[in-house]
């Protein structure tokens, strides 16, 4: 994927700063301290003479200031000397090795209490465009670090067998499937065939892996983790008979009915024996078929390694995204920050949500007919839909409408002049539905308005290439705002967190927003206060990866380490 802009901010985490001596001031080194704490070498005769003189001085000048000497005959002097030595050693440690002090401090970390995320206070004033600096210096990416494998990848001459997968859905769902496929191949120590980007009835796209990702970088980067080949070897005896070529797009031998979030043991018990017997097997379907808490820690780190480092878009996709991001920042003639808005309000999403939205009778009747056609089992006779819609809205499971998004952003303080990049499909309701958002934020723009048709023409060959452009422009934005769940939003948010948490990634609290948006007695000042309070910690700040939580949205616990600086 795109080269990540890792945070390199210096300084400590949240809390009071530690005062450090000036660099110009002299710091005693270890040898100097040893000299201070050790008496100079003297002969026995000299020591006797010193003792005799001191005894005379003590008798003649009782009560005057005494010189403390570290001798074996004085327990109090030994304690004082040890205390002085400890202070000096501590001073040198803090001066010469500030990273030790940084390591001992607790890192900045938000904690979840019920449905509320509690974050430690910070001293910096709030900013619309970035998270406070003190919240972003405690954690750094470390998925590239490899732990020792008990079984290294098997050589080509001794394979356990070959594994292929059908990566279905859109680009981001396919991306997650690819990460999981590498992890499963590592678990079983089998050779992975470059995943097949499966065409489906919704996306209707025939993109191959090499049409969007750098396949050579993918194979070479992961060579110490998993053996990966572009196709099934020609020497496989029954290659032709089983129609297993990835070029033909099908595998006859397929493992189906894989349980969701299966454990590592499940694959070792149920899939590996079949691969060893048949030499090559495919997994289908394969999206969320590997768990998070029931696999070794190194496997989760490997998934991050694939997602953030091995999967790299082709150069022309990266270059186009960089061009569009630059144009977003220069739309006014001067460098300005920009916001990226992932607006999930397409007809398919509205229908699938089974939520109720503002509209006239004709619109509601058309939506009911659409739902009945596409999801007949869920729709039934439609009598229960209204009650279901109310419950889902209370639980925060409905997509935000464009007008609701506009009100929330205004309450957060974003000015009307904000440059907003919109990543979305065809919005349900068209421009009429977008009118409220456009009136409050007129500087809305899509990639089709930023780029010329000539520039986009090479990318239109594959729907996934256009989706990759949206992904990268959102990734590079100063503020990213999601309006509903989905693979696109969680991958963007997870990557921005992995890049150092300094980039704001706003995840509206839809359950609480449904409550305040539906309160007719709540005035604007009170509404603004409510929005600020409920979103204080929902900007991509560091928080632990909760058990069972998707590491693609929050990779901290599995793929990030305490910062050394």
């Amino acid at each position: 994927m795109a080269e990540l802009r890792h945070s390199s901010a210096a300084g400590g985490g949240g809390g009071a700063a530690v005062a450090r001596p000036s660099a110009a001031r002299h710091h005693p080194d270890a040898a100097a301290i040893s000299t201070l704490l050790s008496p100079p070498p003297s002969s026995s005769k000299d020591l006797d003479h010193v003792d005799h003189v001191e005894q005379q001085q003590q008798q003649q000048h009782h009560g005057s200031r005494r010189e403390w000497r570290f001798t074996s005959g004085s327990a109090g002097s030994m304690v004082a000397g040890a205390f002085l030595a400890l202070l000096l050693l501590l001073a040198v440690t803090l001066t010469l090795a500030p990273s030790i002090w940084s390591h001992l401090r607790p890192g900045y970390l938000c904690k979840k209490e019920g449905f509320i995320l509690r974050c430690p206070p910070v001293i910096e004033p709030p900013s619309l465009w970035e998270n406070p600096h003190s919240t972003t210096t405690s954690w750094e990416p470390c998925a590239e670090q490899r732990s020792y494998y008990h079984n290294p990848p098997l050589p080509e001459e001794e394979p356990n067998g070959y594994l292929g997968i059908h990566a279905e859905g859109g680009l981001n769902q396919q991306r997650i499937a690819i990460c999981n496929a590498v992890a499963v191949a590592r678990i079983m120590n089998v050779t992975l065939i470059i995943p097949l980007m499966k065409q489906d009835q919704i996306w209707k796209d025939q993109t191959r892996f090499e049409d969007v990702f750098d396949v050579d970088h993918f194979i070479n980067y992961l060579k110490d983790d998993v053996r990966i080949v572009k196709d099934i070897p020609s020497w496989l005896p029954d290659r032709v008979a089983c129609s297993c070529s990835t070029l033909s797009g099908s595998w006859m031998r397929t493992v189906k009915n894989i349980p969701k979030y299966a454990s590592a043991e499940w694959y070792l018990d149920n899939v590996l024996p079949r691969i060893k017997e048949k030499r090559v097997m495919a997994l289908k379907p394969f999206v969320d078929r590997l768990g998070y808490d029931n696999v070794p820690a190194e496997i989760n780190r490997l998934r991050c390694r694939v997602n953030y480092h091995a999967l790299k878009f082709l150069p022309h996709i990266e270059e186009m995204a960089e061009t569009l991001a630059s144009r977003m920042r220069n739309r006014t003639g001067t460098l300005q920050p920009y916001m990226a808005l992932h607006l999930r309000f397409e007809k398919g999403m509205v229908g699938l949500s089974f939520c109720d939205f503002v509209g006239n009778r004709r619109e509601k009747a058309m939506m009911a007919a659409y739902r009945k056609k596409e999801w007949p089992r869920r729709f039934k006779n439609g009598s229960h839909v209204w009650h279901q819609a109310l419950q889902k809205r209370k639980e925060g499971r409905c997509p935000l409408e464009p007008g609701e998004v506009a009100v929330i952003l205004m309450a957060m303080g974003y000015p009307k002049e904000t440059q907003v990049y919109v990543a979305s499909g065809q919005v349900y309701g068209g421009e009429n539905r977008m009118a409220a958002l456009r009136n409050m934020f007129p500087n809305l723009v899509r990639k089709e308005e930023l780029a010329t048709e000539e520039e986009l023409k090479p990318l239109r060959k594959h729907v996934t290439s256009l989706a990759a452009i949206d992904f990268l422009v959102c990734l590079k934005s100063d503020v990213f705002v999601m309006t509903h769940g989905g693979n696109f939003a969680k991958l963007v948010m997870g990557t921005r967190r992995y890049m150092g948490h300094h980039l704001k990634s706003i995840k509206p609290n839809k359950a609480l927003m449904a409550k305040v948006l539906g309160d007719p007695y709540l005035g604007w000042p009170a509404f603004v206060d409510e929005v600020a309070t409920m979103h204080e910690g929902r900007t991509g700040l560091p928080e632990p990866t909760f058990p069972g939580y998707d590491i693609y949205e929050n990779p901290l616990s599995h793929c990030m380490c305490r910062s050394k600086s």
Side-chain angles (χ1 to χ4, degrees):
M1 62 166 291
E3 181 181 354
L4 301 183
R5 298 174 292 164
H6 292 268
S7 172
S8 59
V18 179
R20 291 185 173 88
S22 169
R25 189 179 300 173
H26 174 69
H27 302 297
D29 56 18
I33 292 177
S34 177
T35 302
L36 289 173
L37 296 180
S38 303
S42 305
S43 66
S44 176
K45 182 178 180 180
D46 290 337
L47 291 175
D48 292 340
H49 175 71
V50 171
D51 289 339
H52 178 70
V53 172
E54 286 184 351
Q55 289 174 4
Q56 289 182 340
Q57 290 176 342
Q58 290 173 5
Q59 294 173 0
Q60 296 175 1
H61 306 285
H62 181 73
S64 63
R65 186 177 64 179
R66 299 177 180 180
E67 289 185 60
W68 292 96
R69 294 176 294 112
F70 300 103
T71 63
S72 60
S74 175
S77 297
M78 290 178 64
V79 173
F83 182 71
L84 178 60
L86 179 62
L87 288 178
L88 288 173
L89 287 173
L90 180 61
V92 172
T93 300
L94 294 178
T95 302
L96 301 181
S99 61
I100 297 177
W101 170 247
S102 177
H103 180 74
L104 292 175
R105 283 179 311 175
Y108 187 93
L109 199 63
C110 301
K111 295 183 179 180
K112 197 170 185 179
E113 298 178 3
F115 294 100
I116 304 298
L117 194 65
R118 304 291 184 188
C119 297
V122 296
I123 59 175
E124 298 102 318
S127 169
L128 288 175
W129 298 104
E130 61 183 3
N131 284 323
H133 175 74
S134 60
T135 69
T136 66
T137 57
S138 297
W139 307 93
E140 63 184 11
C142 61
E144 287 185 290
Q145 300 176 9
R146 287 176 169 86
S147 299
Y148 173 74
Y149 287 120
H150 294 292
N151 299 311
L154 291 174
E156 185 175 2
E157 296 77 18
E158 303 175 7
N160 269 343
Y162 291 84
L163 173 69
I165 69 153
H166 293 263
E168 301 176 329
L171 173 64
N172 300 289
Q173 183 171 311
Q174 291 173 336
R175 186 187 192 100
I176 292 174
I178 293 167
C179 296
N180 290 342
V182 173
V184 168
R186 174 62 254 176
I187 289 171
M188 299 187 294
N189 207 351
V190 297
T191 299
L192 178 67
I193 306 165
I194 286 293
L196 178 66
M197 311 277 272
K198 187 68 175 176
Q199 176 185 2
D200 62 28
Q201 59 182 357
I202 297 177
W203 288 86
K204 296 181 173 59
D205 189 43
Q206 298 185 19
T207 303
R208 298 172 300 171
F209 186 99
E210 55 268 30
D211 292 329
V212 63
F213 295 115
D214 186 335
V215 65
D216 292 327
H217 173 78
F218 180 75
I219 294 174
N220 292 332
Y221 188 87
L222 296 170
K223 66 180 184 297
D224 294 328
D225 299 296
V226 177
R227 279 197 70 245
I228 304 175
V229 295
K230 295 181 180 180
D231 201 355
I232 299 173
S234 57
W235 51 260
L236 191 66
D238 52 353
R239 166 183 168 142
V240 178
C242 73
S243 300
C244 296
S245 171
T246 58
L247 298 178
S248 70
S250 66
W251 287 286
M252 295 293 290
R253 296 165 180 165
T254 304
V255 180
K256 299 182 179 181
N257 301 320
I258 304 172
K260 283 190 173 184
Y261 309 114
S263 66
E265 288 75 14
W266 189 92
Y267 283 95
L268 293 173
D269 294 340
N270 296 277
V271 179
L272 182 58
R274 298 181 65 179
I275 293 179
K276 288 183 174 180
E277 177 188 357
K278 302 296 185 180
R279 305 292 297 277
V280 59
M281 295 294 294
L283 304 181
K284 179 183 179 181
F286 192 77
V287 181
D288 48 3
R289 305 296 161 170
L290 182 64
Y292 302 108
D293 302 322
N294 51 5
V295 299
E298 179 56 32
I299 293 301
N300 281 326
R301 181 169 291 188
L302 173 59
R303 292 154 113 172
C304 290
R305 195 149 56 241
V306 179
N307 187 27
Y308 303 126
H309 300 283
L311 283 175
K312 185 177 181 181
F313 290 118
L314 292 175
H316 72 278
I317 296 176
E318 299 264 7
E319 292 166 6
M320 189 71 251
E322 184 62 39
T323 297
L324 297 189
S326 177
R327 289 175 184 173
M328 280 299 301
R329 290 196 168 90
N330 287 277
R331 293 193 72 208
T332 61
T334 57
L335 283 176
Q336 298 288 339
Y338 76 92
M339 173 189 294
L341 174 64
H342 184 224
L343 193 58
R344 296 223 60 190
F345 208 74
E346 306 89 349
K347 182 179 179 179
M349 177 53 60
V350 171
L352 181 61
S353 70
F354 275 79
C355 294
D356 184 66
F357 299 97
V358 176
N360 55 40
R361 289 185 178 181
R362 180 173 176 272
E363 287 177 327
K364 290 182 181 293
M366 293 177 63
M367 177 53 66
Y370 174 69
R371 286 170 172 165
K372 184 177 182 180
K373 176 185 176 182
E374 297 295 331
W375 303 280
R377 291 185 179 180
R378 290 185 59 188
F379 186 81
K380 299 179 182 178
N381 61 4
S383 61
H384 70 296
V385 172
W386 170 249
H387 300 287
Q388 184 186 68
L390 285 177
Q391 185 62 30
K392 294 187 74 171
R393 184 168 289 277
K394 289 179 181 179
E395 295 172 355
R397 295 162 57 195
C398 294
L400 290 172
E401 296 187 46
E404 293 174 330
V405 176
V407 173
I408 293 172
L409 293 179
M410 284 194 67
M412 289 181 176
Y414 288 97
K416 187 175 183 178
E417 297 77 21
T418 301
Q419 302 294 325
V420 182
Y421 180 89
V422 179
S424 74
Q426 183 65 40
V427 173
Y428 174 66
E431 285 302 314
N432 288 337
R433 184 74 65 170
M434 289 288 292
L437 177 59
R438 194 173 292 279
N439 287 338
M440 296 185 196
F441 294 93
N443 295 318
L444 298 178
V445 64
R446 302 174 186 267
K447 58 181 172 293
E448 291 82 5
E449 300 167 73
L450 280 177
T452 66
E453 183 58 34
E454 196 66 26
E455 289 174 320
L456 293 178
K457 186 176 181 180
L459 300 168
R460 293 192 185 279
K461 297 178 182 178
H462 306 289
V463 175
T464 49
S465 297
L466 295 174
I469 294 295
D470 277 341
F471 179 89
L472 290 173
V473 176
C474 288
L475 189 65
K476 297 171 186 291
S477 66
D478 298 275
V479 172
F480 173 70
V481 181
M482 64 176 290
T483 60
H484 196 50
N487 296 313
F488 182 101
K490 72 182 180 184
L491 281 170
V492 171
M493 293 193 72
T495 306
R496 289 164 70 90
R497 280 175 162 145
Y498 187 75
M499 291 161 63
H501 296 98
H502 62 282
L503 298 173
K504 264 196 171 184
S505 302
I506 299 174
K507 184 179 182 179
N509 190 327
K510 294 184 293 179
L512 293 179
M513 285 308 307
K515 181 179 179 180
V516 298
L517 285 170
D519 187 349
Y521 303 105
L522 191 66
W524 180 253
F527 177 77
V528 170
D529 290 340
E530 289 282 355
V531 171
T533 300
M534 68 178 64
H535 294 98
E536 186 177 3
R538 299 177 69 90
T539 60
L541 295 175
E543 59 179 293
T545 308
F546 303 111
Y549 196 73
D550 198 327
I551 65 171
Y552 297 107
E553 183 174 339
N554 181 15
L556 186 142
S557 298
H558 299 287
C559 308
M560 302 187 74
C561 304
R562 281 298 313 277
S563 176
K564 298 178 182 179
S565 59

